[in-house]
């Protein structure tokens, strides 16, 4: 049985381009990342979050749902990517070639 004094506070963080939410949650040692997110009830503010497939992190490092959260950590909820970064870069390079800002053969900058 866990004493109330053993518990610690962990922040759950979720951000959109126009708003963010930080929810402090009081948890016991051994609590997993997904349990912390569930305890925060952040889904009531952002119903688009799918707790079964959501990617989680601790200070910008992706973690598994069952990762134990330690005192002083914060759980970050990551949004899915809108576009594949490789495709975006490829389109930008093709556009530069078409506009004459890049070498059509090598793709490098024109001198």
């Amino acid at each position: 049985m866990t004493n109330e004094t053993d518990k610690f506070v962990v922040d759950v963080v979720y951000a959109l381009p126009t708003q963010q939410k930080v929810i402090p949650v009081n948890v016991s040692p051994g609590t997993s990342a997904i349990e912390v997110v569930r305890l925060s009830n952040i889904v009531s503010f952002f119903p688009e979050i799918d707790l079964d497939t959501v990617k989680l992190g601790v200070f910008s490092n992706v973690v598994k749902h069952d990762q134990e959260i330690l005192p002083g950590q914060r759980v970050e909820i990551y949004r899915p990517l809108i576009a594949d970064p490789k495709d975006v870069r490829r389109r930008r390079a093709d556009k530069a070639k078409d506009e004459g800002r890049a070498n059509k053969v090598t793709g490098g900058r024109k001198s």
Side-chain angles (χ1 to χ4, degrees):
M1 187 165 171
T2 307
N3 290 339
E4 197 64 32
T5 57
D6 292 342
K7 292 191 171 195
F8 54 92
V9 176
V10 174
D11 288 335
V12 176
V13 181
Y14 184 68
L16 295 171
T18 58
Q19 65 179 348
Q20 71 176 8
K21 190 81 170 164
V22 179
I23 301 175
V25 181
N26 204 15
V27 298
S28 303
T31 305
S32 70
I34 195 66
E35 288 173 338
V36 172
V37 172
R38 284 192 171 98
L39 289 171
S40 74
N41 199 24
I42 199 159
V43 176
S44 65
F45 298 100
F46 304 100
E48 69 273 12
I49 298 174
D50 180 6
L51 294 180
D52 295 327
T53 61
V54 69
K55 297 231 186 279
L56 302 176
V58 173
F59 293 116
S60 301
N61 294 314
V62 177
V63 298
K64 294 183 178 181
H65 283 203
D66 61 353
Q67 166 101 18
E68 181 180 335
I69 300 302
L70 303 173
Q73 292 182 330
R74 77 167 180 227
V75 178
E76 302 159 345
I77 302 171
Y78 300 135
R79 292 178 285 135
L81 292 176
I82 297 170
D84 181 9
K86 289 180 184 179
D87 289 338
V88 172
R89 169 71 180 98
R90 193 173 300 114
R91 281 188 299 231
R92 192 178 326 130
D94 289 342
K95 183 178 177 187
K97 287 178 196 174
D98 292 343
E99 293 175 353
R101 293 182 290 121
N103 184 303
K104 292 193 185 286
V105 176
T106 65
R109 288 189 179 159
K110 283 190 164 182
S111 317

